[in-house]
Amino acid sequence: MSDAWSYRSGAWFAVFGTEAAIVLPETQKDQVVGLWALVDGGAGFDEVLDGLLASGLSRIPGFVLVSNGEGPTRFLLRGTGVVATVTAAGETVTVDGGASHTWVERSLDDVTALSIGLPAGEHETGAADVDFPIVTGLVRVGRIDRPAAAPVAEPAADMVAEPVAEPAEEPVMEPVMEPVMEPVMEPPAAEMAPMVGGAHLAAEEPAPLDEPSPLDDRASAVTEAAYLDDGPATEVMETLDETPAEEPESAEEPLAEAPQEPAPDGWVTPWDSPAPPPVGGDAPTTPPVESLDEPATPAVPAPAFPPLGGATEVAPPGWVPPPPPGVPAPEAPDAPPLPIGSWEPVGGVAPPPGPGVEHDGFTVAGAGEPPAPLVQPVPGTPAAPPVTQPVAKLLVSDGQSIIVDRAVLIGRAPEARRFTSTEQPVLVTVPSRLHEISSTHVEVRPGTGADLGTAVVTDMGSTNGTVLVQPGLGPEDLKPGIAVQLIPGATINLGDGITIQVTRP
Amino acid sequence: MNRVELHHGAATDVGLVREVNEDAFLADPPVFVVADGMGGHDRGDIASAYAVEELARLAHGDYGLEEGTAAVDAALQAAQDRLLAYDEEQRAAGAADSFAAGTTVVLALLVQSPDGPHWLLANVGDSRIYRFTEGELEQVSVDHSLVQELVDSGRITPDAAAVHPSRNVVTRALGGAAMPGAVSGAADYYLLPLAAAERLLLCSDGVSGMVDDVTIASTLARYDDPRDAADALVAAAVAAGGHDNATAVVVDVVGLANEDPYDSHAQRLSLEQKLGALP
């Protein structure tokens, strides 16, 4: 069937390319330019879908994606009111994009007619029922049809009557006024109505592309990311330049008065140093009572600290353990403050026997998280090693071969963060003469949940990024911190000539 | 095996407010420890002493990566067991049922791996490990504290955490199993290549809670000798009010050529030079 489309004006963005066409609601303006670049570059159905979903499905309320090339017609619909009417092999069916939480997908052979209706936008006035043919380009639409609906006589007559004289009067101008970009019209459509849109846009908004586009934003985000590593350094160094004038006094003066000599090598537990005379007798350590926005903490007046030099210890202020992560906090900000030293159980746990244990009379211990599995119920019992099967083997281009049965951190000088003694990571150092590889570049670990039994790869916020090529799929730039499932045969490219082949273990 | 030369310094001070110094430390290559006891006289100081005693058994050994982790884990478990036994003993001798000695621990152990020497770092509680490399200060350990959980869950900002009324509540500690709320004694581990940590700072919250990161960084930058740096940090904590026992252990890696500076750092410097921001 013909690749030519026609559209009616509306609030949605439609990008027509040689291989695929995509329609997005007006809220997705920031994505449209990037996708146009993709679609206009000849990207196929799958590639456009990848690009579309790169930022996450949940933030896209609706879309339509249709394959434009050879083979069966594939289309995806998402969103209420997004309705496709398809005539395939003589039968006409209607598909509603609101029928699924994710999207509705169909692949049909011998499609002779495809019409997709879109819900009207918020500010849309009565859309003109005029069909404009289009082959490739970016336009605002309320409905699209393939093959192109027969041009309605009226606009054509309009065109003939007043060629380009008063394009601003055209009712279809409204949606096109948006400083998007001019539709790229192919020669066959040149004498048709859309020429109005094109000519008009070219005249009125000659340089919409000069505006900062999402592409530029993305570029600057990349730049920012590249500087992230340096953020703290900059801060510290700048402050260093400013503070020294004052610092030495505070740092050195007390040194002379320090009651103790610095301890020599070896450990000491100095408990014989006399406490200095109390200063004022009041609690000088009163922390600001600002409760900030932690609703669970009852407003406590200045916490009572142990009297200096006294033998009695005062219970620390009561506090409410936070709800476990992930569980919505029970909204009880108005609950009366708990008496000093009392506890409020969380999740039906019986209140502990007493107040928190004092920590130099200052810090208290309290439950804030479920006890970690490392604490053995019976002291002395060895912890059971975690049962992990090898899920993949990594062949690094410098000759190393690593079995993935635990977290594997790969980089120029990899570091491991916050692991427990039972799940030690493997550190794999790879050469990087040009320093294109970050110190900790990627992590490969056995997947959990839906990825169970396979390996997943995560870019650890590398400076220069990671490119993943999976069998049957195009190259993919890993998003920092987002784990991607690995298929045997995949290749992870770290840059600097280092690639990692993923095979079965 | 790479030979590594370490220089180190340590200092502790009871502070201006506390009666007893319940902190304990150890600086005996290849192991460095700061423990901050909790629970008042005869509890905190005993607890931190137990932790340091058990970890002191690691001194003068050579450890591979895995055996190092196992050895640290065993030492922490031994300290935990001793603390629980001590609690039993005290209760048998007439102490209250809620008697529980506890301590936070941070430690650094030098381990060897096929890729060269590494720092195996561990923490339980809110004592901290920082690294200071090429003028940058970075907190490596993540506090086991209530405010850290609030920060992690996005409910408060890190700045707000520093002045939060509940900032003194730790969620993990050695001996914690017997404590109200059943805080756990599980340690979190970190592994850094030695070249990525020119200088390590291990400190109790009497230092990190009294002195902000900027001051810590400038102090670490000012003193080349780790002994002076440790002294100055503890002195700064006391000068800032000395509300708590303050302990600092500073370890420098010397005799290990650092040919591997951060690429982003190098790139940025070269960019700034190109743009004329630097001579």
Side-chain angles (χ1 to χ4, degrees):
Chain A
M1 74 183 267
S2 157
D3 280 351
W5 291 84
S6 70
Y7 67 93
R8 292 185 187 175
S9 62
W12 291 56
F13 293 98
V15 182
F16 297 95
T18 51
E19 300 297 319
I22 184 160
V23 183
L24 286 170
E26 54 187 329
T27 54
Q28 300 303 306
K29 197 165 160 184
D30 55 340
Q31 268 210 308
V32 170
V33 176
L35 287 169
W36 184 39
L38 209 57
V39 170
D40 201 48
F45 185 90
D46 292 324
E47 209 176 325
V48 177
L49 183 60
D50 282 348
L52 174 68
L53 298 182
S55 61
L57 177 66
S58 58
R59 55 165 294 227
I60 308 171
F63 68 84
V64 179
L65 177 59
V66 186
S67 70
N68 233 6
E70 302 290 310
T73 299
R74 291 173 70 192
F75 58 94
L76 302 184
L77 301 177
R78 172 178 169 83
T80 44
V82 179
V83 178
T85 310
V86 198
T87 307
E91 274 184 55
T92 300
V93 291
T94 304
V95 184
D96 186 354
S100 165
H101 273 304
T102 51
W103 62 62
V104 179
E105 177 166 10
R106 290 284 186 282
S107 182
L108 299 170
D109 285 310
D110 305 326
V111 173
T112 50
L114 173 61
S115 172
I116 292 164
L118 305 160
E122 270 179 50
H123 312 294
E124 208 171 330
T125 51
D129 289 339
V130 184
D131 292 301
F132 302 104
I134 184 166
V135 176
T136 61
L138 169 56
V139 283
R140 299 198 71 155
V141 303
R143 168 195 167 125
I144 60 174
D145 291 276
R146 192 176 72 183
V152 182
E154 196 196 334
D158 267 358
M159 280 311 301
V160 173
E162 348 176 38
V164 196
E166 274 188 34
E169 303 279 329
E170 268 302 328
V172 288
M173 284 310 112
E174 184 264 325
V176 200
M177 298 286 270
E178 199 69 34
V180 205
M181 50 286 309
E182 53 177 302
V184 179
M185 302 311 302
E186 298 289 334
E191 73 242 33
M192 308 297 288
M195 176 174 129
V196 176
H200 170 76
L201 271 179
E204 185 160 327
E205 291 285 345
L209 284 174
D210 289 342
E211 286 185 4
S213 74
L215 282 178
D216 294 333
D217 287 347
R218 197 181 302 168
S220 62
V222 168
T223 318
E224 260 176 51
Y227 278 81
L228 273 182
D229 282 350
D230 291 313
T234 316
E235 267 175 44
V236 170
M237 290 191 300
E238 277 170 1
T239 329
L240 279 180
D241 292 338
E242 288 162 13
T243 42
E246 223 178 302
E247 271 311 300
E249 292 160 32
S250 62
E252 278 162 9
E253 183 195 325
L255 201 55
E257 302 168 4
Q260 279 183 293
E261 285 300 311
D265 288 0
W267 66 275
V268 289
T269 309
W271 44 6
D272 50 354
S273 46
V279 191
D282 202 346
T285 54
T286 306
V289 197
E290 232 182 321
S291 130
L292 299 159
D293 61 351
E294 203 247 311
T297 306
V300 181
F305 289 104
L308 296 165
T312 32
E313 290 181 348
V314 178
W319 65 281
V320 182
V327 177
E331 288 305 325
D334 296 326
L338 296 167
I340 294 296
S342 69
W343 286 62
E344 184 175 276
V346 171
V349 177
V357 173
E358 289 204 16
H359 173 55
D360 295 353
F362 191 57
T363 301
V364 294
E369 57 187 43
L374 253 196
V375 171
Q376 295 139 22
V378 183
T381 313
V387 184
T388 20
Q389 298 293 324
V391 293
K393 189 158 88 175
L394 304 179
L395 303 173
V396 186
S397 56
D398 71 342
Q400 299 181 70
S401 153
I402 307 111
I403 294 288
V404 182
D405 58 356
R406 59 177 81 182
V408 178
L409 290 151
I410 305 162
R412 184 164 44 75
E415 301 173 1
R417 295 299 177 110
R418 224 178 169 180
F419 56 95
T420 65
S421 59
T422 51
E423 50 174 39
Q424 290 178 51
V426 175
L427 300 186
V428 177
T429 306
V430 294
S432 177
R433 248 179 358 99
L434 305 174
H435 277 219
E436 287 174 8
I437 299 177
S438 293
S439 52
T440 309
H441 200 101
V442 291
E443 181 200 64
V444 180
R445 63 158 64 229
T448 55
D451 296 329
L452 198 66
T454 64
V456 293
V457 61
T458 310
D459 181 288
M460 302 299 278
S462 68
T463 306
N464 293 315
T466 308
V467 177
L468 172 66
V469 183
Q470 302 257 45
L473 296 171
E476 172 186 4
D477 275 320
L478 292 184
K479 300 264 180 300
I482 307 291
V484 175
Q485 190 178 11
L486 289 170
I487 306 169
T491 306
I492 305 165
N493 190 344
L494 306 186
D496 225 344
I498 296 293
T499 57
I500 301 164
Q501 296 278 350
V502 181
T503 66
R504 295 185 195 282
Chain B
M1 192 178 91
N2 297 28
R3 283 197 54 81
V4 179
E5 194 178 348
L6 300 175
H7 286 184
H8 54 86
T12 188
D13 196 293
V14 69
L16 300 177
V17 177
R18 300 293 148 215
E19 195 182 355
V20 173
N21 193 339
E22 300 183 37
D23 287 359
F25 68 84
L26 167 73
D28 199 359
V31 63
F32 302 87
V33 183
V34 168
D36 181 350
M38 30 203 308
H41 197 335
D42 257 15
R43 292 181 176 183
D45 45 8
I46 297 270
S48 59
Y50 280 1
V52 162
E53 279 175 24
E54 292 302 326
L55 287 163
R57 300 178 198 278
L58 303 179
H60 310 298
D62 281 330
Y63 298 93
L65 204 151
E66 298 217 351
E67 56 181 343
T69 315
V72 169
D73 214 42
L76 292 177
Q77 186 64 52
Q80 174 88 333
D81 294 346
R82 277 181 73 183
L83 283 171
L84 298 185
Y86 174 71
D87 288 348
E88 285 298 325
E89 211 174 277
Q90 295 299 307
R91 283 197 285 266
D97 280 351
S98 60
F99 186 96
T103 184
T104 73
V105 180
V106 282
L107 70 95
L109 176 69
L110 185 68
V111 294
Q112 297 290 343
S113 83
D115 287 329
H118 282 73
W119 278 122
L120 175 67
L121 309 172
N123 81 308
V124 185
D126 64 351
S127 290
R128 288 182 176 175
I129 305 167
Y130 293 88
R131 73 168 160 199
F132 187 69
T133 299
E134 295 180 358
E136 293 181 33
L137 182 75
E138 186 195 354
Q139 183 182 337
V140 177
S141 60
V142 178
D143 295 353
H144 299 137
S145 66
L146 180 63
V147 287
Q148 182 64 44
E149 289 181 7
L150 294 173
V151 170
D152 290 347
S153 64
R155 290 163 70 186
I156 61 172
T157 65
D159 287 344
V163 294
H164 195 279
S166 296
R167 67 182 182 283
N168 55 337
V169 178
V170 299
T171 52
R172 290 194 211 173
L174 277 193
M179 291 189 178
V183 293
S184 90
D188 277 337
Y189 290 86
Y190 305 81
L191 203 48
L192 306 183
L194 224 56
E198 290 171 353
R199 174 171 271 191
L200 281 184
L201 165 65
L202 281 64
C203 65
S204 63
D205 71 335
V207 171
S208 57
M210 298 303 301
V211 185
D212 62 19
D213 284 4
V214 172
T215 309
I216 292 178
S218 62
T219 307
L220 290 177
R222 190 172 312 118
Y223 298 95
D224 282 341
D225 189 323
R227 294 169 297 187
D228 293 341
D231 286 346
L233 278 170
V234 168
V238 173
H243 295 169
D244 202 350
N245 308 142
T247 303
V249 172
V250 177
V251 189
D252 284 355
V253 177
V254 293
L256 181 83
N258 183 1
E259 298 163 344
D260 209 17
Y262 273 101
D263 47 352
S264 56
H265 185 68
Q267 281 171 10
R268 194 171 136 269
L269 285 182
S270 80
L271 179 67
E272 284 177 357
Q273 253 155 0
K274 214 180 281 179
L275 298 177
L278 290 175

